[in-house]
Amino acid sequence: MKRPLILVSNDDGITSKGIRTLVEVMKELGEVVVVAPDSPQSGMGHAITIGNTLRLEETDIFDGVTAYECSGTPADCVKLAKHFVLKDRRPDLVVSGINHGSNTSISILYSGTMSAAIEGAIEGMPAIGFSLCDYSSDADFSHTREHVKKIAQTVLEKGLAKGVALNVNIPPKRNEEIKGIKICRQARAKWQEEFDQRYDPNGRRYFWLAGNFVNFDKGEDNDEWSIANNYVSVVPCLFDLTAHHAISMMNDEWDF
């Protein structure tokens, strides 16, 4: 029986610990091809490269896996994989991550990890973005493996609605085992940002982004609650940003 073709990307860069874990798990499920950034691309959102050259170099960083490092963004990586690396081959699954840090709630809009997954969904391919809620470059990913495998295997077997990408966040390693997996919604939360004004040795002003993440959501059916209560959160996401509920109201009330 032919093994599924799985495309792997990320935003932390091809040398990150998280993508190595993801590649190892995906090798248990199918044939793996990696196209990932050659340097960290966190917070790039769905940026694409249009004013500069894109470079793509094959690498043997993963034993027995076809892999390329790309000078562009996570979205660039998926586009190049589709149009150049895989050519006429269509992935059965696109996976991105495992990200070093949370991508819950509003962070999905800024996430390079999720942009790679969403790019796959735009192309009509089942796609998942995986994140570990631990920002350490040396984070412990050992407890993520069984959950990553279970979710990916389920998608391979059952599929996803067209245009849907899953945003999966996994709690950090704790003394207690993860309680389970919850399919839930995106929490109503945001970053309350601050910009620290500083000066370099030449007296030139620059700014450093800081701030705090604030959760306004009191529900128990969202990703923030799930992570806080030691569950893996799975949020189905669409790239269609249309506010469908507002259309009829605007048509009725606006004088256009």
Side-chain angles (χ1 to χ4, degrees):
M1 183 176 178
K2 187 177 179 182
R3 303 188 78 205
L5 176 61
I6 303 173
L7 173 63
V8 176
S9 193
N10 77 339
D11 75 353
D12 289 314
I14 200 166
T15 61
S16 72
K17 189 174 180 180
I19 196 173
R20 180 166 294 278
T21 301
L22 187 57
V23 168
E24 290 170 356
V25 175
M26 291 304 110
K27 284 172 68 176
E28 300 175 18
L29 299 177
E31 177 192 350
V32 175
V33 174
V34 178
V35 182
D38 59 10
S39 60
Q41 297 286 322
S42 295
M44 291 299 290
H46 213 96
I48 57 174
T49 301
I50 57 175
N52 293 302
T53 55
L54 277 172
R55 302 196 182 276
L56 191 68
E57 301 291 339
E58 192 165 4
T59 174
D60 60 359
I61 189 171
F62 305 110
D63 186 39
V65 172
T66 300
Y68 292 82
E69 54 184 3
C70 173
S71 63
T73 68
D76 289 330
C77 290
V78 175
K79 289 178 181 292
L80 277 173
K82 176 182 181 291
H83 292 284
F84 180 77
V85 175
L86 298 175
K87 297 178 182 175
D88 297 328
R89 304 181 68 197
R90 184 176 180 82
D92 297 290
L93 179 65
V94 177
V95 291
S96 180
I98 301 170
N99 189 63
H100 292 248
S102 170
N103 274 316
T104 57
S105 186
I106 198 67
S107 295
I108 186 177
L109 293 179
Y110 308 110
S111 168
T113 299
M114 280 307 297
S115 77
I118 290 171
E119 184 64 33
I122 290 172
E123 295 295 339
M125 298 177 285
I128 313 169
F130 291 102
S131 300
L132 172 64
C133 298
D134 185 334
Y135 289 92
S136 170
S137 60
D138 195 37
D140 186 347
F141 286 85
S142 60
H143 66 300
T144 68
R145 292 173 179 263
E146 63 173 299
H147 304 291
V148 168
K149 183 176 181 180
K150 182 176 183 179
I151 293 168
Q153 192 165 33
T154 300
V155 170
L156 282 170
E157 292 174 356
K158 299 184 179 298
L160 282 175
K162 192 171 183 180
V164 170
L166 300 184
N167 183 19
V168 177
N169 283 270
I170 303 170
K173 183 82 169 181
R174 293 168 177 158
N175 292 330
E176 61 173 328
E177 290 188 4
I178 288 175
K179 295 176 182 176
I181 298 171
K182 282 193 175 292
I183 299 172
C184 52
R185 62 175 174 82
Q186 178 181 315
R188 292 185 295 275
K190 62 172 290 188
W191 288 94
Q192 288 190 339
E193 296 156 344
E194 299 174 359
F195 283 91
D196 188 11
Q197 180 174 284
R198 306 178 184 179
Y199 293 87
D200 67 19
N202 295 317
R204 297 180 61 189
R205 184 176 63 175
Y206 68 95
F207 296 90
W208 194 268
L209 177 61
N212 297 299
F213 187 74
V214 181
N215 184 9
F216 305 102
D217 203 317
K218 304 304 180 185
E220 297 183 0
D221 60 343
N222 62 72
D223 50 11
E224 283 293 320
W225 185 94
S226 298
I227 295 300
N229 287 273
N230 210 27
Y231 288 94
V232 175
S233 67
V234 179
V235 177
C237 302
L238 289 170
F239 54 83
D240 179 1
L241 298 181
T242 306
H244 293 278
H245 66 285
I247 292 176
S248 59
M249 179 274 289
M250 295 171 68
N251 282 329
D252 291 341
E253 299 181 8
W254 289 28
D255 187 21
F256 283 159

